[in-house]
Amino acid sequence: RRIYRVVGDSLNSIVDAVHHNRNIQWIHVRHEEAGAFAASAEAQLTGTLAVCAGSCGPGNLHLINGLYDAHKTLAPVLAIASHIPSSEIGTGYFQETHPERLFQECSHFCELVSTEKQMPRLLQIAMQTAVSRGGVSVLVLPGDVATLKMTNESLEHRVFPTRPAVQPSPSDLRTLGDLLNATDRITLFCGAGCAGAHREVLRLAKQIQAPIAYSFRGKEYLEHDNPYAAGMTGLLGTESGHYALEKADLLLMLGTDFPYTAWYPKKAKIVQVDIRPEHLGRRSKLDFGVVGDIRTTMDAILPLVKQKKNDKHLKACLEKHRETENLHSRQAEGKKTERPIHTEYVTAVLSELANSDTIFTVDTGMTAVWAARYLHMTENRRLIGSFNHGSMANAMPQAIGAQLAFPKRQVISLSGDGGFTMLMGDLLTLAQYELPIKLIIYNNSTLGMVKLEMRVAGYQDFGVDVKNPNFAKLAEAVGIRGFHVEDPADLRASLRAALRHDGPVLVDVVTDPNVLAFPPKIDAKETIGYSLYLAKQTLDGRLFESLEELKGNLP
């Protein structure tokens, strides 16, 4: 329905063709990376193919970061990477690169179209591959080839979306059922593969009296309307999510490829169900692995699982979750009068005021921490971020794709000042297309996550502070409504007014740069590292060197 791109001479014939096609809209972003992020968000939210394009050389190179994000998120995206004239390929021509090599790592399919006779077959293969496998396809298209008249239309047909129901074999189901029946303390650990299987996962949790922990990508699918929810695990997660994993005798992983091995339990048996066989056992030592989609597998396993009566593990995990949630609520409420404004309070108020079907896009960094802990999902809310690739600057471009795909839904972008300014030029895209996106900027004049990482490692933070303008005035200068908030007493009213405004809005919230986000577990080296940082702030250099030596001798 739309192509995100920046025009360039090698794209001109494609631009002209789309200009005369009423079914496809060109979206003129200000940076190709933003276009790739926007396409990624559209594909994630709709489940259908989204398209971006870049002109030859630097133009299509700018696509790479956003395409990496799309590919690692399994978002079906087609990238049109235009190329130099075909007669000049291999000569070191102006703006020459080798796109068919450059895009190999972030695509399932990447091919050079060297003659019009290859079209539309290569295009059909590219689109079908992206939709079927989930991820990126790239067509490298020299500008002169793109101008040629199509000579072969015999293979033109629609793309066929594939949603097979994949069920494990009967013997695998029996083995899985036996493992679940033989174990009392079971925790379900769920990821994005549980999309569309909320009811089935909860039925299994009820049957085996199991708490449900989830990954960041699983949060939007498992947090809402879930009496068995135990919270997130991982660095951004909560103590209760970590507790649910650690106290289990058997951890059943459902549709998650959670990459952080340090957060898996050390003593529990681990069983994994995933539709992608290559995911089995690549994060932890498995006791058993099963290939199947989650919804189908849950339906198949339920008749084989006995109803458990022992609910001590479940009750303990739910009590820990209640304690964690109450703690977060008290923390947010307790900060509502403090200046500079605390990020926990900002996010909690935003979650309270947002619509029940809001699409949130979240930047990587400290913003993701607050989103993970203080944004509450409903059945119809969505949460998009660069959760697998971990790129900065993703939130605003992803909000562009989300708003264009769903023009009537509320879209809220949450960014730190570092992430926002990295691709700030596409603020103009919001103004140009009058997209009613609500941009929330956590403005603490520092790269907060990196600062915290430095301090935990025992370093003095250096090179992380940034000098910012008044972002609200900057927004007003380009025709976007701006709010600048420094007093926490003004926060709620400003956010409410921003969300009610019928056009694009930027809310610049000046927040505390020294807010700490504690992970669910802290090891001794992290504690000593932060102590070293504090010592470096107060002690002279000689004592400092002694502390460094002590740190180096720690086991």
Side-chain angles (χ1 to χ4, degrees), residues 448-491:
M449 181 65 83
V450 181
K451 174 183 278 191
L452 182 60
E453 290 167 344
M454 286 182 170
R455 291 182 176 184
V456 168
Y459 302 119
Q460 288 177 292
D461 44 83
F462 176 76
V464 294
D465 295 329
V466 293
K467 184 177 180 180
N468 290 325
N470 181 320
F471 290 118
K473 289 184 177 180
L474 186 149
E476 296 280 2
V478 300
I480 291 175
R481 178 77 183 276
F483 292 84
H484 183 78
V485 186
E486 295 187 24
D487 188 340
D490 299 331
L491 178 69

Side-chain angles (χ1 to χ4, degrees), residues 101-253:
R101 301 178 194 171
L102 292 166
F103 290 104
Q104 284 291 343
E105 284 194 9
C106 60
S107 66
H108 292 306
F109 180 88
C110 181
E111 290 294 341
L112 171 68
V113 181
S114 54
T115 171
E116 79 282 358
K117 293 181 175 64
Q118 293 174 276
M119 295 286 270
R121 181 160 23 174
L122 284 185
L123 178 60
Q124 295 288 163
I125 294 171
M127 294 190 295
Q128 188 66 50
T129 300
V131 169
S132 300
R133 298 185 63 182
V136 172
S137 287
V138 182
L139 276 187
V140 181
L141 188 59
D144 59 316
V145 176
T147 66
L148 299 176
K149 182 177 176 59
M150 182 78 73
T151 57
N152 177 16
E153 299 180 359
S154 61
L155 286 178
E156 281 192 359
H157 54 75
R158 67 182 181 89
V159 173
F160 298 94
T162 56
R163 297 291 183 271
V166 179
Q167 181 174 308
S169 68
S171 62
D172 282 350
L173 286 170
R174 285 194 298 270
T175 301
L176 177 58
D178 290 343
L179 283 166
L180 296 179
N181 289 329
T183 311
D184 277 336
R185 295 188 300 179
I186 302 172
T187 293
L188 306 184
F189 180 31
C190 303
C194 293
H198 182 274
R199 180 178 64 88
E200 290 76 13
V201 172
L202 264 62
R203 285 179 61 199
L204 178 63
K206 180 180 180 180
Q207 190 92 341
I208 63 177
Q209 300 290 307
I212 299 174
Y214 40 84
S215 65
F216 201 176
R217 288 194 64 205
K219 175 182 170 77
E220 64 174 325
Y221 304 114
L222 276 306
E223 182 181 70
H224 69 86
D225 304 315
N226 185 351
Y228 310 100
M232 274 179 56
T233 189
L235 186 65
L236 309 186
T238 63
E239 184 182 354
S240 60
H242 175 61
Y243 178 91
L245 267 66
E246 285 295 321
K247 296 299 181 180
D249 291 329
L250 187 151
L251 182 68
L252 177 58
M253 297 170 58

Side-chain angles (χ1 to χ4, degrees), residues 68 104 143 161 186 213 230 247 249 309 322 332 341 373 395 487 497 531:
Y68 259 97
Q104 284 291 343
I186 302 172
K247 296 299 181 180
D249 291 329
K309 296 180 179 179
R322 280 190 291 271
I341 300 172
R373 298 180 183 179
D487 188 340
S531 299

Side-chain angles (χ1 to χ4, degrees), residues 9 56-57 84-85 88 91-97:
D9 59 349
C56 65
I84 62 172
E88 304 295 340
T91 68
Y93 191 71
F94 176 65
Q95 294 188 324
E96 181 173 7
T97 59

Side-chain angles (χ1 to χ4, degrees), residues 430-549:
L430 274 66
Q432 180 165 336
Y433 290 94
E434 299 179 344
L435 300 175
I437 295 166
K438 317 308 177 192
L439 301 173
I440 313 298
I441 311 299
Y442 295 83
N443 182 359
N444 62 3
S445 298
T446 190
L447 304 179
M449 181 65 83
V450 181
K451 174 183 278 191
L452 182 60
E453 290 167 344
M454 286 182 170
R455 291 182 176 184
V456 168
Y459 302 119
Q460 288 177 292
D461 44 83
F462 176 76
V464 294
D465 295 329
V466 293
K467 184 177 180 180
N468 290 325
N470 181 320
F471 290 118
K473 289 184 177 180
L474 186 149
E476 296 280 2
V478 300
I480 291 175
R481 178 77 183 276
F483 292 84
H484 183 78
V485 186
E486 295 187 24
D487 188 340
D490 299 331
L491 178 69
R492 183 178 291 273
S494 296
L495 288 176
R496 184 179 284 113
L499 296 179
R500 288 176 176 173
H501 184 65
D502 61 0
V505 178
L506 186 151
V507 184
D508 177 15
V509 186
V510 179
T511 57
D512 189 346
N514 296 311
V515 172
L516 294 177
F518 292 105
K521 63 174 181 177
I522 303 175
D523 63 31
K525 284 192 175 183
E526 289 171 337
T527 303
I528 292 174
Y530 199 81
S531 299
L532 279 170
Y533 155 73
L534 294 175
K536 291 175 182 181
Q537 297 297 94
T538 57
L539 303 177
D540 65 47
R542 285 171 295 176
L543 179 55
F544 201 34
E545 291 172 2
S546 299
L547 286 167
E548 286 284 7
E549 184 178 354

